[in-house]
Amino acid sequence: MKKLTSIITLLFLLASCEKEIDIHYHEIAPMVVIEGQVTNEGTEVSVRRSRSVTDSVQGVSLPGATIFIFDNGVEHRLAYDPKDGCYRSSLTGVEGHNYRMTVDFEGIRYEATSTMPAPTAILSSKFYWFNILDERLLVYELWATDPDPEQRNYFQYRVDRHSSNPHVTPKMQGRPYRWNVFDDRGNPPDRIYRDIHCMMEQTALEDKEEDWERILYDGDTITLKLQTIDHTAYEYFRTLISGQGEGANPVSNISGGCLGYFMASSITHADTLILHLDEVMDYEMPK
């Protein structure tokens, strides 16, 4: 019943409840934006200028910063990669370790810390059709373990799609198809689940140009990345989502007067799915 209520409540918010990670910062004068991650797959930091919500040009990462990550007293200096403008290190995160980032840029030091949470394990992922009146909603259902049921845990997911359909441009494929953050409140013991709302069947059948970005086409390859994140990262993305239409910037955990975030996170990947719409089953309520 909870799944049914959730889907009905959010059905008409489908176009807005899952946002792309394409951050438009609200500001008057450009500010430094630092976005950094230490994960079990590596370490990456970008440094750039903020851009206005009316600026259609993506901000470019800036060279010239000196960036260190400290792990239990051991320092790791990140190297700038001019190919994509990011700073990287081979450092891989370890569960329970506290990481400190320092960024020296244009005479100002920026700092942040984050502790890497335990990873989750993905139990299953699949698509189903959910019937509401005369419509059907395509839903991506994800089940995973709750890494520490005695504590509040926080998660971020990202769904990507790769498509050979000419309506899906390389720019669209370079952005997340869906992403969001959530916590483990209201989930079954030792488990978490997420119903990720994708598209209405009628929208796919009509195939209008203004809907191409949200339509999944037959044969699309779907990947999902699930990250356990700490509370400060969760608050950053939560306030980002809630404030994008209100003219407010998200709450940063980086000191020094910049925008952005720093987080240590554990990444888990779901099995890759090839979407065959005629093979997707209708949802059945548990008996």
Side-chain angles (χ1 to χ4, degrees), residues 209-240:
E209 183 174 355
E210 60 264 30
D211 296 322
W212 287 350
E213 195 144 10
R214 75 179 65 172
I215 294 174
L216 293 178
Y217 292 95
D218 204 62
D220 282 2
T221 300
I222 310 300
T223 60
L224 178 138
K225 177 172 69 175
L226 181 63
Q227 295 178 254
T228 50
I229 61 178
D230 66 11
H231 182 255
T232 58
Y234 170 80
E235 280 299 305
Y236 173 84
F237 289 109
R238 185 190 65 80
T239 56
L240 166 67

PDB file of all heavy atoms in Angstrom, residues 209-240:
ATOM      1  N   GLU A 209       9.173  16.085 -29.385  1.00  0.00           N
ATOM      2  CA  GLU A 209      10.563  16.533 -29.216  1.00  0.00           C
ATOM      3  C   GLU A 209      10.816  17.080 -27.819  1.00  0.00           C
ATOM      4  O   GLU A 209      11.890  16.848 -27.250  1.00  0.00           O
ATOM      5  CB  GLU A 209      10.896  17.590 -30.263  1.00  0.00           C
ATOM      6  CG  GLU A 209      12.351  18.057 -30.200  1.00  0.00           C
ATOM      7  CD  GLU A 209      12.722  18.998 -31.318  1.00  0.00           C
ATOM      8  OE1 GLU A 209      11.875  19.226 -32.217  1.00  0.00           O
ATOM      9  OE2 GLU A 209      13.858  19.515 -31.305  1.00  0.00           O
ATOM     10  N   GLU A 210       9.833  17.786 -27.252  1.00  0.00           N
ATOM     11  CA  GLU A 210      10.043  18.355 -25.926  1.00  0.00           C
ATOM     12  C   GLU A 210      10.141  17.288 -24.840  1.00  0.00           C
ATOM     13  O   GLU A 210      10.540  17.581 -23.699  1.00  0.00           O
ATOM     14  CB  GLU A 210       8.933  19.344 -25.570  1.00  0.00           C
ATOM     15  CG  GLU A 210       7.549  18.748 -25.552  1.00  0.00           C
ATOM     16  CD  GLU A 210       6.794  18.948 -26.856  1.00  0.00           C
ATOM     17  OE1 GLU A 210       7.457  19.024 -27.913  1.00  0.00           O
ATOM     18  OE2 GLU A 210       5.549  19.047 -26.807  1.00  0.00           O
ATOM     19  N   ASP A 211       9.796  16.040 -25.171  1.00  0.00           N
ATOM     20  CA  ASP A 211       9.856  14.949 -24.200  1.00  0.00           C
ATOM     21  C   ASP A 211      11.014  13.985 -24.433  1.00  0.00           C
ATOM     22  O   ASP A 211      11.166  13.021 -23.674  1.00  0.00           O
ATOM     23  CB  ASP A 211       8.548  14.146 -24.230  1.00  0.00           C
ATOM     24  CG  ASP A 211       7.350  14.967 -23.803  1.00  0.00           C
ATOM     25  OD1 ASP A 211       7.499  15.783 -22.877  1.00  0.00           O
ATOM     26  OD2 ASP A 211       6.267  14.805 -24.404  1.00  0.00           O
ATOM     27  N   TRP A 212      11.807  14.211 -25.451  1.00  0.00           N
ATOM     28  CA  TRP A 212      12.851  13.236 -25.797  1.00  0.00           C
ATOM     29  C   TRP A 212      13.801  12.975 -24.637  1.00  0.00           C
ATOM     30  O   TRP A 212      14.296  11.863 -24.474  1.00  0.00           O
ATOM     31  CB  TRP A 212      13.640  13.725 -27.005  1.00  0.00           C
ATOM     32  CG  TRP A 212      12.873  13.629 -28.294  1.00  0.00           C
ATOM     33  CD1 TRP A 212      11.679  13.002 -28.496  1.00  0.00           C
ATOM     34  CD2 TRP A 212      13.234  14.203 -29.552  1.00  0.00           C
ATOM     35  NE1 TRP A 212      11.274  13.131 -29.803  1.00  0.00           N
ATOM     36  CE2 TRP A 212      12.217  13.868 -30.486  1.00  0.00           C
ATOM     37  CE3 TRP A 212      14.315  14.947 -30.001  1.00  0.00           C
ATOM     38  CZ2 TRP A 212      12.267  14.260 -31.817  1.00  0.00           C
ATOM     39  CZ3 TRP A 212      14.365  15.346 -31.332  1.00  0.00           C
ATOM     40  CH2 TRP A 212      13.350  14.999 -32.229  1.00  0.00           C
ATOM     41  N   GLU A 213      14.067  13.999 -23.836  1.00  0.00           N
ATOM     42  CA  GLU A 213      15.033  13.832 -22.752  1.00  0.00           C
ATOM     43  C   GLU A 213      14.524  12.883 -21.665  1.00  0.00           C
ATOM     44  O   GLU A 213      15.309  12.259 -20.961  1.00  0.00           O
ATOM     45  CB  GLU A 213      15.394  15.184 -22.139  1.00  0.00           C
ATOM     46  CG  GLU A 213      16.621  15.140 -21.269  1.00  0.00           C
ATOM     47  CD  GLU A 213      17.459  16.395 -21.361  1.00  0.00           C
ATOM     48  OE1 GLU A 213      16.995  17.387 -21.954  1.00  0.00           O
ATOM     49  OE2 GLU A 213      18.591  16.390 -20.842  1.00  0.00           O
ATOM     50  N   ARG A 214      13.216  12.768 -21.518  1.00  0.00           N
ATOM     51  CA  ARG A 214      12.677  11.905 -20.475  1.00  0.00           C
ATOM     52  C   ARG A 214      12.227  10.543 -20.992  1.00  0.00           C
ATOM     53  O   ARG A 214      11.913   9.653 -20.207  1.00  0.00           O
ATOM     54  CB  ARG A 214      11.514  12.593 -19.766  1.00  0.00           C
ATOM     55  CG  ARG A 214      10.232  12.632 -20.561  1.00  0.00           C
ATOM     56  CD  ARG A 214       9.113  13.299 -19.796  1.00  0.00           C
ATOM     57  NE  ARG A 214       9.415  14.702 -19.563  1.00  0.00           N
ATOM     58  CZ  ARG A 214       8.558  15.564 -19.050  1.00  0.00           C
ATOM     59  NH1 ARG A 214       7.371  15.168 -18.675  1.00  0.00           N
ATOM     60  NH2 ARG A 214       8.882  16.823 -18.890  1.00  0.00           N
ATOM     61  N   ILE A 215      12.180  10.360 -22.318  1.00  0.00           N
ATOM     62  CA  ILE A 215      11.709   9.100 -22.882  1.00  0.00           C
ATOM     63  C   ILE A 215      12.839   8.078 -22.915  1.00  0.00           C
ATOM     64  O   ILE A 215      13.957   8.373 -23.357  1.00  0.00           O
ATOM     65  CB  ILE A 215      11.159   9.314 -24.304  1.00  0.00           C
ATOM     66  CG1 ILE A 215       9.895  10.191 -24.261  1.00  0.00           C
ATOM     67  CG2 ILE A 215      10.836   7.976 -24.968  1.00  0.00           C
ATOM     68  CD1 ILE A 215       9.369  10.566 -25.625  1.00  0.00           C
ATOM     69  N   LEU A 216      12.545   6.862 -22.456  1.00  0.00           N
ATOM     70  CA  LEU A 216      13.440   5.729 -22.633  1.00  0.00           C
ATOM     71  C   LEU A 216      12.950   4.930 -23.838  1.00  0.00           C
ATOM     72  O   LEU A 216      11.765   4.596 -23.919  1.00  0.00           O
ATOM     73  CB  LEU A 216      13.459   4.847 -21.380  1.00  0.00           C
ATOM     74  CG  LEU A 216      14.074   5.461 -20.128  1.00  0.00           C
ATOM     75  CD1 LEU A 216      13.974   4.485 -18.954  1.00  0.00           C
ATOM     76  CD2 LEU A 216      15.521   5.863 -20.356  1.00  0.00           C
ATOM     77  N   TYR A 217      13.870   4.633 -24.734  1.00  0.00           N
ATOM     78  CA  TYR A 217      13.501   3.947 -25.967  1.00  0.00           C
ATOM     79  C   TYR A 217      13.865   2.467 -25.882  1.00  0.00           C
ATOM     80  O   TYR A 217      14.764   2.067 -25.136  1.00  0.00           O
ATOM     81  CB  TYR A 217      14.200   4.603 -27.164  1.00  0.00           C
ATOM     82  CG  TYR A 217      13.697   5.997 -27.443  1.00  0.00           C
ATOM     83  CD1 TYR A 217      14.351   7.112 -26.927  1.00  0.00           C
ATOM     84  CD2 TYR A 217      12.551   6.197 -28.206  1.00  0.00           C
ATOM     85  CE1 TYR A 217      13.891   8.396 -27.168  1.00  0.00           C
ATOM     86  CE2 TYR A 217      12.079   7.484 -28.466  1.00  0.00           C
ATOM     87  CZ  TYR A 217      12.750   8.573 -27.946  1.00  0.00           C
ATOM     88  OH  TYR A 217      12.291   9.853 -28.192  1.00  0.00           O
ATOM     89  N   ASP A 218      13.146   1.678 -26.661  1.00  0.00           N
ATOM     90  CA  ASP A 218      13.404   0.249 -26.703  1.00  0.00           C
ATOM     91  C   ASP A 218      14.855  -0.012 -27.107  1.00  0.00           C
ATOM     92  O   ASP A 218      15.356   0.564 -28.077  1.00  0.00           O
ATOM     93  CB  ASP A 218      12.453  -0.420 -27.703  1.00  0.00           C
ATOM     94  CG  ASP A 218      12.250  -1.885 -27.404  1.00  0.00           C
ATOM     95  OD1 ASP A 218      11.738  -2.195 -26.319  1.00  0.00           O
ATOM     96  OD2 ASP A 218      12.624  -2.720 -28.251  1.00  0.00           O
ATOM     97  N   GLY A 219      15.543  -0.835 -26.345  1.00  0.00           N
ATOM     98  CA  GLY A 219      16.942  -1.146 -26.613  1.00  0.00           C
ATOM     99  C   GLY A 219      17.926  -0.268 -25.875  1.00  0.00           C
ATOM    100  O   GLY A 219      19.144  -0.509 -25.948  1.00  0.00           O
ATOM    101  N   ASP A 220      17.445   0.752 -25.129  1.00  0.00           N
ATOM    102  CA  ASP A 220      18.349   1.601 -24.345  1.00  0.00           C
ATOM    103  C   ASP A 220      19.066   0.766 -23.283  1.00  0.00           C
ATOM    104  O   ASP A 220      18.485  -0.151 -22.690  1.00  0.00           O
ATOM    105  CB  ASP A 220      17.577   2.720 -23.650  1.00  0.00           C
ATOM    106  CG  ASP A 220      17.222   3.860 -24.598  1.00  0.00           C
ATOM    107  OD1 ASP A 220      17.544   3.758 -25.798  1.00  0.00           O
ATOM    108  OD2 ASP A 220      16.616   4.841 -24.130  1.00  0.00           O
ATOM    109  N   THR A 221      20.319   1.110 -23.031  1.00  0.00           N
ATOM    110  CA  THR A 221      21.104   0.473 -21.973  1.00  0.00           C
ATOM    111  C   THR A 221      21.034   1.344 -20.729  1.00  0.00           C
ATOM    112  O   THR A 221      21.332   2.541 -20.783  1.00  0.00           O
ATOM    113  CB  THR A 221      22.568   0.301 -22.410  1.00  0.00           C
ATOM    114  OG1 THR A 221      22.615  -0.529 -23.579  1.00  0.00           O
ATOM    115  CG2 THR A 221      23.392  -0.344 -21.307  1.00  0.00           C
ATOM    116  N   ILE A 222      20.639   0.741 -19.610  1.00  0.00           N
ATOM    117  CA  ILE A 222      20.395   1.485 -18.379  1.00  0.00           C
ATOM    118  C   ILE A 222      21.390   1.029 -17.315  1.00  0.00           C
ATOM    119  O   ILE A 222      21.519  -0.164 -17.034  1.00  0.00           O
ATOM    120  CB  ILE A 222      18.959   1.267 -17.863  1.00  0.00           C
ATOM    121  CG1 ILE A 222      17.936   1.501 -18.975  1.00  0.00           C
ATOM    122  CG2 ILE A 222      18.700   2.162 -16.663  1.00  0.00           C
ATOM    123  CD1 ILE A 222      17.953   2.896 -19.561  1.00  0.00           C
ATOM    124  N   THR A 223      22.089   1.983 -16.725  1.00  0.00           N
ATOM    125  CA  THR A 223      22.997   1.692 -15.619  1.00  0.00           C
ATOM    126  C   THR A 223      22.579   2.517 -14.407  1.00  0.00           C
ATOM    127  O   THR A 223      22.014   3.608 -14.541  1.00  0.00           O
ATOM    128  CB  THR A 223      24.459   2.008 -15.974  1.00  0.00           C
ATOM    129  OG1 THR A 223      24.584   3.404 -16.312  1.00  0.00           O
ATOM    130  CG2 THR A 223      24.922   1.168 -17.153  1.00  0.00           C
ATOM    131  N   LEU A 224      22.874   1.993 -13.225  1.00  0.00           N
ATOM    132  CA  LEU A 224      22.557   2.708 -11.985  1.00  0.00           C
ATOM    133  C   LEU A 224      23.738   2.620 -11.041  1.00  0.00           C
ATOM    134  O   LEU A 224      24.327   1.555 -10.858  1.00  0.00           O
ATOM    135  CB  LEU A 224      21.306   2.145 -11.321  1.00  0.00           C
ATOM    136  CG  LEU A 224      20.938   2.826  -9.984  1.00  0.00           C
ATOM    137  CD1 LEU A 224      19.435   3.064  -9.877  1.00  0.00           C
ATOM    138  CD2 LEU A 224      21.430   2.004  -8.784  1.00  0.00           C
ATOM    139  N   LYS A 225      24.062   3.756 -10.445  1.00  0.00           N
ATOM    140  CA  LYS A 225      25.099   3.846  -9.419  1.00  0.00           C
ATOM    141  C   LYS A 225      24.443   4.295  -8.127  1.00  0.00           C
ATOM    142  O   LYS A 225      23.724   5.300  -8.102  1.00  0.00           O
ATOM    143  CB  LYS A 225      26.181   4.837  -9.853  1.00  0.00           C
ATOM    144  CG  LYS A 225      27.275   5.045  -8.819  1.00  0.00           C
ATOM    145  CD  LYS A 225      28.414   5.893  -9.391  1.00  0.00           C
ATOM    146  CE  LYS A 225      28.009   7.325  -9.620  1.00  0.00           C
ATOM    147  NZ  LYS A 225      29.149   8.170 -10.058  1.00  0.00           N
ATOM    148  N   LEU A 226      24.671   3.542  -7.041  1.00  0.00           N
ATOM    149  CA  LEU A 226      24.122   3.872  -5.731  1.00  0.00           C
ATOM    150  C   LEU A 226      25.273   4.166  -4.787  1.00  0.00           C
ATOM    151  O   LEU A 226      26.185   3.357  -4.637  1.00  0.00           O
ATOM    152  CB  LEU A 226      23.280   2.709  -5.203  1.00  0.00           C
ATOM    153  CG  LEU A 226      22.614   2.909  -3.832  1.00  0.00           C
ATOM    154  CD1 LEU A 226      21.623   4.059  -3.872  1.00  0.00           C
ATOM    155  CD2 LEU A 226      21.928   1.609  -3.392  1.00  0.00           C
ATOM    156  N   GLN A 227      25.234   5.330  -4.157  1.00  0.00           N
ATOM    157  CA  GLN A 227      26.296   5.745  -3.245  1.00  0.00           C
ATOM    158  C   GLN A 227      25.743   5.937  -1.840  1.00  0.00           C
ATOM    159  O   GLN A 227      24.681   6.534  -1.658  1.00  0.00           O
ATOM    160  CB  GLN A 227      26.915   7.069  -3.708  1.00  0.00           C
ATOM    161  CG  GLN A 227      27.647   6.983  -5.040  1.00  0.00           C
ATOM    162  CD  GLN A 227      28.192   8.336  -5.471  1.00  0.00           C
ATOM    163  OE1 GLN A 227      27.656   8.963  -6.373  1.00  0.00           O
ATOM    164  NE2 GLN A 227      29.272   8.777  -4.821  1.00  0.00           N
ATOM    165  N   THR A 228      26.464   5.428  -0.851  1.00  0.00           N
ATOM    166  CA  THR A 228      26.202   5.823   0.529  1.00  0.00           C
ATOM    167  C   THR A 228      27.010   7.085   0.795  1.00  0.00           C
ATOM    168  O   THR A 228      28.200   7.156   0.473  1.00  0.00           O
ATOM    169  CB  THR A 228      26.592   4.717   1.516  1.00  0.00           C
ATOM    170  OG1 THR A 228      27.931   4.268   1.233  1.00  0.00           O
ATOM    171  CG2 THR A 228      25.649   3.533   1.397  1.00  0.00           C
ATOM    172  N   ILE A 229      26.357   8.077   1.370  1.00  0.00           N
ATOM    173  CA  ILE A 229      26.983   9.376   1.584  1.00  0.00           C
ATOM    174  C   ILE A 229      26.765   9.800   3.036  1.00  0.00           C
ATOM    175  O   ILE A 229      25.905   9.252   3.730  1.00  0.00           O
ATOM    176  CB  ILE A 229      26.416  10.445   0.623  1.00  0.00           C
ATOM    177  CG1 ILE A 229      24.906  10.629   0.840  1.00  0.00           C
ATOM    178  CG2 ILE A 229      26.712  10.050  -0.820  1.00  0.00           C
ATOM    179  CD1 ILE A 229      24.277  11.700  -0.043  1.00  0.00           C
ATOM    180  N   ASP A 230      27.546  10.774   3.493  1.00  0.00           N
ATOM    181  CA  ASP A 230      27.356  11.228   4.864  1.00  0.00           C
ATOM    182  C   ASP A 230      26.281  12.307   4.920  1.00  0.00           C
ATOM    183  O   ASP A 230      25.763  12.759   3.887  1.00  0.00           O
ATOM    184  CB  ASP A 230      28.670  11.678   5.497  1.00  0.00           C
ATOM    185  CG  ASP A 230      29.270  12.926   4.856  1.00  0.00           C
ATOM    186  OD1 ASP A 230      28.571  13.583   4.044  1.00  0.00           O
ATOM    187  OD2 ASP A 230      30.429  13.258   5.158  1.00  0.00           O
ATOM    188  N   HIS A 231      25.954  12.733   6.144  1.00  0.00           N
ATOM    189  CA  HIS A 231      24.830  13.649   6.324  1.00  0.00           C
ATOM    190  C   HIS A 231      25.085  15.008   5.686  1.00  0.00           C
ATOM    191  O   HIS A 231      24.157  15.637   5.153  1.00  0.00           O
ATOM    192  CB  HIS A 231      24.528  13.826   7.812  1.00  0.00           C
ATOM    193  CG  HIS A 231      23.359  14.715   8.074  1.00  0.00           C
ATOM    194  ND1 HIS A 231      23.502  16.006   8.539  1.00  0.00           N
ATOM    195  CD2 HIS A 231      22.025  14.511   7.924  1.00  0.00           C
ATOM    196  CE1 HIS A 231      22.304  16.557   8.667  1.00  0.00           C
ATOM    197  NE2 HIS A 231      21.396  15.680   8.308  1.00  0.00           N
ATOM    198  N   THR A 232      26.328  15.493   5.727  1.00  0.00           N
ATOM    199  CA  THR A 232      26.600  16.818   5.156  1.00  0.00           C
ATOM    200  C   THR A 232      26.404  16.808   3.643  1.00  0.00           C
ATOM    201  O   THR A 232      25.889  17.783   3.079  1.00  0.00           O
ATOM    202  CB  THR A 232      28.023  17.285   5.502  1.00  0.00           C
ATOM    203  OG1 THR A 232      28.987  16.335   5.010  1.00  0.00           O
ATOM    204  CG2 THR A 232      28.201  17.442   6.999  1.00  0.00           C
ATOM    205  N   ALA A 233      26.811  15.738   2.984  1.00  0.00           N
ATOM    206  CA  ALA A 233      26.594  15.631   1.539  1.00  0.00           C
ATOM    207  C   ALA A 233      25.100  15.524   1.233  1.00  0.00           C
ATOM    208  O   ALA A 233      24.597  16.135   0.277  1.00  0.00           O
ATOM    209  CB  ALA A 233      27.343  14.435   0.976  1.00  0.00           C
ATOM    210  N   TYR A 234      24.401  14.744   2.043  1.00  0.00           N
ATOM    211  CA  TYR A 234      22.958  14.616   1.867  1.00  0.00           C
ATOM    212  C   TYR A 234      22.281  15.977   1.980  1.00  0.00           C
ATOM    213  O   TYR A 234      21.418  16.333   1.156  1.00  0.00           O
ATOM    214  CB  TYR A 234      22.400  13.655   2.907  1.00  0.00           C
ATOM    215  CG  TYR A 234      20.890  13.630   2.989  1.00  0.00           C
ATOM    216  CD1 TYR A 234      20.137  12.904   2.071  1.00  0.00           C
ATOM    217  CD2 TYR A 234      20.225  14.343   3.981  1.00  0.00           C
ATOM    218  CE1 TYR A 234      18.753  12.896   2.140  1.00  0.00           C
ATOM    219  CE2 TYR A 234      18.840  14.332   4.064  1.00  0.00           C
ATOM    220  CZ  TYR A 234      18.106  13.607   3.138  1.00  0.00           C
ATOM    221  OH  TYR A 234      16.745  13.600   3.207  1.00  0.00           O
ATOM    222  N   GLU A 235      22.659  16.762   2.982  1.00  0.00           N
ATOM    223  CA  GLU A 235      22.058  18.076   3.165  1.00  0.00           C
ATOM    224  C   GLU A 235      22.378  18.992   1.997  1.00  0.00           C
ATOM    225  O   GLU A 235      21.544  19.819   1.594  1.00  0.00           O
ATOM    226  CB  GLU A 235      22.535  18.700   4.476  1.00  0.00           C
ATOM    227  CG  GLU A 235      21.816  18.185   5.699  1.00  0.00           C
ATOM    228  CD  GLU A 235      20.331  18.474   5.628  1.00  0.00           C
ATOM    229  OE1 GLU A 235      19.943  19.650   5.457  1.00  0.00           O
ATOM    230  OE2 GLU A 235      19.530  17.508   5.711  1.00  0.00           O
ATOM    231  N   TYR A 236      23.571  18.871   1.453  1.00  0.00           N
ATOM    232  CA  TYR A 236      23.934  19.689   0.295  1.00  0.00           C
ATOM    233  C   TYR A 236      22.992  19.405  -0.870  1.00  0.00           C
ATOM    234  O   TYR A 236      22.399  20.325  -1.451  1.00  0.00           O
ATOM    235  CB  TYR A 236      25.381  19.426  -0.115  1.00  0.00           C
ATOM    236  CG  TYR A 236      25.748  20.107  -1.401  1.00  0.00           C
ATOM    237  CD1 TYR A 236      26.148  21.440  -1.418  1.00  0.00           C
ATOM    238  CD2 TYR A 236      25.672  19.432  -2.617  1.00  0.00           C
ATOM    239  CE1 TYR A 236      26.457  22.086  -2.600  1.00  0.00           C
ATOM    240  CE2 TYR A 236      25.974  20.075  -3.809  1.00  0.00           C
ATOM    241  CZ  TYR A 236      26.375  21.393  -3.794  1.00  0.00           C
ATOM    242  OH  TYR A 236      26.665  22.029  -4.969  1.00  0.00           O
ATOM    243  N   PHE A 237      22.853  18.137  -1.226  1.00  0.00           N
ATOM    244  CA  PHE A 237      22.020  17.806  -2.379  1.00  0.00           C
ATOM    245  C   PHE A 237      20.538  18.011  -2.084  1.00  0.00           C
ATOM    246  O   PHE A 237      19.765  18.387  -2.973  1.00  0.00           O
ATOM    247  CB  PHE A 237      22.296  16.372  -2.830  1.00  0.00           C
ATOM    248  CG  PHE A 237      23.634  16.196  -3.473  1.00  0.00           C
ATOM    249  CD1 PHE A 237      24.649  15.498  -2.828  1.00  0.00           C
ATOM    250  CD2 PHE A 237      23.909  16.749  -4.710  1.00  0.00           C
ATOM    251  CE1 PHE A 237      25.891  15.352  -3.413  1.00  0.00           C
ATOM    252  CE2 PHE A 237      25.151  16.615  -5.305  1.00  0.00           C
ATOM    253  CZ  PHE A 237      26.149  15.904  -4.655  1.00  0.00           C
ATOM    254  N   ARG A 238      20.120  17.772  -0.831  1.00  0.00           N
ATOM    255  CA  ARG A 238      18.718  17.997  -0.478  1.00  0.00           C
ATOM    256  C   ARG A 238      18.369  19.482  -0.624  1.00  0.00           C
ATOM    257  O   ARG A 238      17.319  19.827  -1.192  1.00  0.00           O
ATOM    258  CB  ARG A 238      18.451  17.534   0.958  1.00  0.00           C
ATOM    259  CG  ARG A 238      16.980  17.614   1.371  1.00  0.00           C
ATOM    260  CD  ARG A 238      16.800  17.389   2.866  1.00  0.00           C
ATOM    261  NE  ARG A 238      17.413  18.443   3.660  1.00  0.00           N
ATOM    262  CZ  ARG A 238      16.847  19.632   3.879  1.00  0.00           C
ATOM    263  NH1 ARG A 238      15.664  19.918   3.356  1.00  0.00           N
ATOM    264  NH2 ARG A 238      17.468  20.540   4.620  1.00  0.00           N
ATOM    265  N   THR A 239      19.225  20.356  -0.120  1.00  0.00           N
ATOM    266  CA  THR A 239      18.944  21.787  -0.229  1.00  0.00           C
ATOM    267  C   THR A 239      19.133  22.272  -1.662  1.00  0.00           C
ATOM    268  O   THR A 239      18.488  23.245  -2.067  1.00  0.00           O
ATOM    269  CB  THR A 239      19.832  22.594   0.733  1.00  0.00           C
ATOM    270  OG1 THR A 239      21.227  22.300   0.490  1.00  0.00           O
ATOM    271  CG2 THR A 239      19.506  22.265   2.186  1.00  0.00           C
ATOM    272  N   LEU A 240      19.988  21.613  -2.422  1.00  0.00           N
ATOM    273  CA  LEU A 240      20.115  21.934  -3.841  1.00  0.00           C
ATOM    274  C   LEU A 240      18.794  21.678  -4.555  1.00  0.00           C
ATOM    275  O   LEU A 240      18.284  22.515  -5.296  1.00  0.00           O
ATOM    276  CB  LEU A 240      21.219  21.082  -4.476  1.00  0.00           C
ATOM    277  CG  LEU A 240      21.257  21.044  -6.010  1.00  0.00           C
ATOM    278  CD1 LEU A 240      21.621  22.405  -6.562  1.00  0.00           C
ATOM    279  CD2 LEU A 240      22.218  19.985  -6.505  1.00  0.00           C
TER     280      LEU A 240
END
